[in-house]
Amino acid sequence: MDKKLKLAVIGHPISHSRSPEIHQDFANQFNAKIEFRKHDVTSDTLGTWLTDFFKDGGKGVSITLPIKEVALSFADEISDRARLASACNVIYAKDEKLFADCTDGFGLTQDLEGNLKTSLKNKKILILGAGGAARGIIPSIIEKYPAKLKIANRTGSKALLLKKDLEGKVNLKEKNIIFEAGGLSDDFLLSDSYDIVINSTSVSTQVGKSIGLPKALFSGTRLAYDLFYSAEKTVFMQEAFENGAEKVSDGWGMLVEQGAESFRLWTNLIPDTSRLLEKPID
Ligand code: ATR
């Protein structure tokens, strides 16, 4: 690649984004020249921003909260992953068209199975939360054939809607996956034990805040995984560890791995993620 590749990350807020340094690390591995900027973009400014960016020679954009869903409507082609997630975290230009894809679920399963050596096959998995973050990861989890998948959300009806939506898109019976959805009641949460518990709620964005889960939830848990990443252990991670989870992790590895998959879509190059995975977060 001789020409500087024009890339960006957009969302609102955006100042906290670590994407520029992640992609710069990937680019350095191949001596590729990139320009990667952060831009504060809302759903109101998204259409104009995308038009200008791609008209100006832009190659690819990472898309973060809260515009992952609305961004789909600006793409000419939508990948299966993005269609199943009803959201995209990447848009890129190819053959005069804009393609939308969702690499979040790939990033998560790559981190769980590849980095943390925690296979999802035949496992019982609990997902806390039923918002956009849950939508982004569930299709990729289903692809790994867990034995059981449960979605528990503060607003139980939202979990049921998400389940219904997915059942209309994926043949879960054919995959032999037991799929349940409900609220955060102790009865629903404690009616199973879970190999893996994933926190996709936005609670960890508020420092010191607890979801208020029953302690017994984590007995028998091999891995408690928070999609949020931070320098300190989140309250979810602390509580999971104190109450019996063998291993806890934040979502830094997922962020790096989804970035690597996005970088591959933009460049056809597969970066090595190991250095970034080791790097402490400041
Ligand atoms: P995102 O796109 O990051 O998933 P979202 O769509 O706003 O953001 O969803 C946030 C998720 O966190 C929701 O599942 C929300 O539960 P509700 O659907 O009941 O709102 C969950 N959440 C937010 N605050 C919470 C809290 N204090 N306790 C439990 N769940 C919470």
Side-chain angles (χ1 to χ4, degrees), residues 94-115:
K94 196 174 136 188
D95 305 332
E96 313 278 309
K97 281 185 179 170
L98 291 186
F99 289 75
D101 205 339
C102 179
T103 66
D104 284 332
F106 173 91
L108 173 69
T109 56
Q110 189 67 17
D111 195 33
L112 293 176
E113 298 204 327
N115 303 330

Side-chain angles (χ1 to χ4, degrees), residues 22 25-27 29-30 115 256-257 260 263 269-278:
I22 290 173
D25 181 284
F26 295 159
Q29 294 175 27
F30 304 99
N115 303 330
V256 172
E257 297 295 349
F263 190 83
L269 300 167
I270 300 175
D272 176 0
T273 54
S274 54
R275 197 194 71 81
L276 283 167
L277 290 171
E278 276 165 22

Side-chain angles (χ1 to χ4, degrees), residues 65 69 129-134 153-155 158 184 200-203 206 209 211:
L65 301 176
E69 285 90 358
N153 192 47
R154 180 175 60 179
T155 312
K158 220 166 116 184
L184 287 180
S200 84
T201 73
S202 52
V203 174
Q206 298 165 56
K209 191 161 168 85
I211 304 172

